[in-house]
Amino acid sequence: MAKRNFVTIERHIIEEQMKHPEATGELSKLLTDLSIAAKIISREVNKAGLVNILGVAGGENVHGERVKKLDVFAHDLLFGMMDHGGQLAVMASEEEEGVMEIPPDKRVGKYVLLFDPLDGSSNIDANVSIGTIFSIFRRVTEGGGPGGLEDCVRPGVKQVAAGYVLYGSSTMFVYTAGEGTHGFTLDPSIGEFLLSHENIRIPKRGNIYSVNEGNYPYWSDGLKRYVENLRSEQSPIGKPYSARYIGSMVADVHRTLLYGGVFLYPADAKRPNGKLRLLYEANPMAFIVESAGGKASDGAGRILERTPEGLHDRCPVILGSADDVADAERFLREERG
Ligand code: AHG
Ligand code: MN
Ligand code: MN
């Protein structure tokens, strides 16, 4: 019989931790708690198609209780699952204007968690893949009290871990702690994430481009020239690239990670900083893609080196296969002169 070696996410996290004798286990606990939150969100996402039976989000269910929108549910769940473990000093979410302090009756830890609780929310009602994205820093403020804004608003190079959960045909948990990007698939029959994609390496060059081409009229000439080149027989692969765009960053980035190619949410005349948020969308994805051997650029330089000003800053995003991202940067550089 073929030898099967089931590696649960808990085991993998602990084995990674053991490579660092100085580690206290706090980051491991944080990642494990996130994977449990992911299972609960996954269960709710799977029920989303039953809204007409169980109650429409925003309305009432059969018990007369208000049914939360999935993004609000995911936000509340993540905060509630992560506030009492003793590993976090402060949190921030796409769904909350300011930082979220650890309640005074809970133990405060040394890490900082930023998240996009539900990414791709426009796809929920169509049963199309959606996700959750998270980014983890070490706190910089002193003391045993709650952390603050300066712990959260930091350049992406300072991340200690980042990941996403993809609620697709299977649910996947993908994370990096800076040493390789690893993917786990949820086996619903046992309720465990099992290692399915160890040390993901993104192809150096791909054959897929992924961008919302509805924004074409607002693109710069350099961006238009870049995408037109990809669609032509003069492309780097000598034939037109394929187009794929889901409109859920998690799903588009996940495909890019596995198949290669380039994903863009660029700056344009309408959105000079693009659409995606630096701290809980662009930075974690950039960290994951770079840990898998790819590149992540804002068009001019590394996303991870940007200095954020506020929690909800936006940032242009071009990420994926190293050669493809370098090409995009070159077209944009030539245009800037
Ligand atoms: P969110 O649902 O968290 O607000 O994020 C949506 C984002 C991202 O997932 C996706 O890449 C992008 O919006 C799609 O935007 P367009 O509809 O403008 O293409
Ligand atoms: Mn999002
Ligand atoms: Mn969101």
Side-chain angles (χ1 to χ4, degrees):
M1 203 172 100
K3 183 171 171 263
R4 285 179 189 270
N5 193 4
F6 291 108
V7 179
T8 63
I9 193 163
E10 295 87 349
R11 175 176 161 186
H12 192 267
I13 289 169
I14 287 168
E15 283 176 2
E16 290 295 300
Q17 181 200 321
M18 279 160 52
K19 294 179 188 163
H20 299 272
E22 74 289 357
T24 58
E26 285 168 85
L27 182 62
S28 299
K29 173 82 169 49
L30 199 53
L31 290 165
T32 305
D33 285 352
L34 280 165
S35 74
I36 296 168
K39 288 187 226 176
I40 301 174
I41 300 172
S42 176
R43 185 192 65 196
E44 291 303 306
V45 167
N46 287 336
K47 286 197 303 204
L50 296 170
V51 282
N52 289 328
I53 301 160
L54 301 178
V56 183
E60 287 186 351
N61 66 16
V62 286
H63 309 292
E65 301 155 342
R66 285 199 73 72
V67 178
K68 286 185 194 170
K69 292 207 161 85
L70 260 188
D71 33 18
V72 177
F73 171 86
H75 166 89
D76 291 348
L77 182 98
L78 279 165
F79 185 76
M81 288 284 297
M82 306 306 296
D83 72 344
H84 57 276
Q87 293 85 38
L88 290 176
V90 66
M91 287 184 250
S93 160
E94 182 189 23
E95 301 296 329
E96 186 98 24
E97 196 53 42
V99 299
M100 299 179 290
E101 287 187 357
I102 302 301
D105 58 326
K106 308 256 167 38
R107 201 156 64 84
V108 170
K110 66 179 180 201
Y111 288 104
V112 175
L113 175 69
L114 300 106
F115 54 85
D116 177 355
L118 222 282
D119 172 72
S121 33
S122 71
N123 280 322
I124 297 173
D125 292 342
N127 212 346
V128 172
S129 298
I130 51 183
T132 296
I133 312 172
F134 63 88
S135 161
I136 298 172
F137 291 105
R138 207 166 267 124
R139 80 178 292 179
V140 283
T141 51
E142 300 272 324
L149 196 59
E150 61 267 56
D151 294 308
C152 299
V153 183
R154 305 190 48 218
V157 280
K158 300 289 184 193
Q159 289 171 106
V160 293
Y164 62 79
V165 189
L166 171 68
Y167 312 105
S169 44
S170 304
T171 295
M172 281 195 70
F173 190 101
V174 175
Y175 85 96
T176 179
E179 293 166 351
T181 294
H182 309 289
F184 303 80
T185 303
L186 182 63
D187 179 340
S189 67
I190 56 168
E192 287 282 355
F193 281 107
L194 300 176
L195 181 63
S196 53
H197 298 67
E198 192 170 21
N199 198 17
I200 298 170
R201 302 307 293 168
I202 181 167
K204 200 158 171 289
R205 161 80 66 197
N207 57 14
I208 296 172
Y209 75 100
S210 184
V211 63
N212 183 344
E213 280 192 288
N215 294 325
Y216 185 89
Y218 312 117
W219 288 358
S220 68
D221 289 341
L223 185 61
K224 285 179 179 167
R225 270 197 296 276
Y226 171 61
V227 172
E228 269 155 26
N229 175 263
L230 294 182
R231 295 195 313 205
S232 75
E233 291 181 327
Q234 283 70 53
S235 86
I237 56 170
K239 59 179 184 181
Y241 276 47
S242 286
R244 296 281 186 279
Y245 188 73
I246 296 164
S248 290
M249 184 192 202
V250 170
D252 282 314
V253 171
H254 185 68
R255 181 202 55 247
T256 306
L257 208 54
L258 296 185
Y259 296 174
V262 61
F263 165 80
L264 308 95
Y265 212 113
D268 64 29
K270 259 187 136 174
R271 293 188 168 110
N273 281 315
K275 173 182 184 186
L276 299 172
R277 310 297 181 141
L278 176 58
L279 291 179
Y280 40 82
E281 292 182 319
N283 267 344
M285 290 310 200
F287 194 35
I288 290 164
V289 166
E290 286 197 6
S291 299
K295 259 172 87 86
S297 167
D298 62 8
R302 259 175 107 200
I303 287 174
L304 293 180
E305 284 173 15
R306 280 176 78 103
T307 305
E309 284 170 5
L311 266 187
H312 301 285
D313 280 11
R314 296 178 195 271
C315 157
V317 172
I318 304 172
L319 61 76
S321 294
D323 288 354
D324 287 299
V325 176
D327 288 347
E329 282 183 319
R330 186 161 42 79
F331 274 82
L332 297 176
R333 203 179 313 119
E334 279 165 15
E335 160 177 74
R336 282 193 301 271

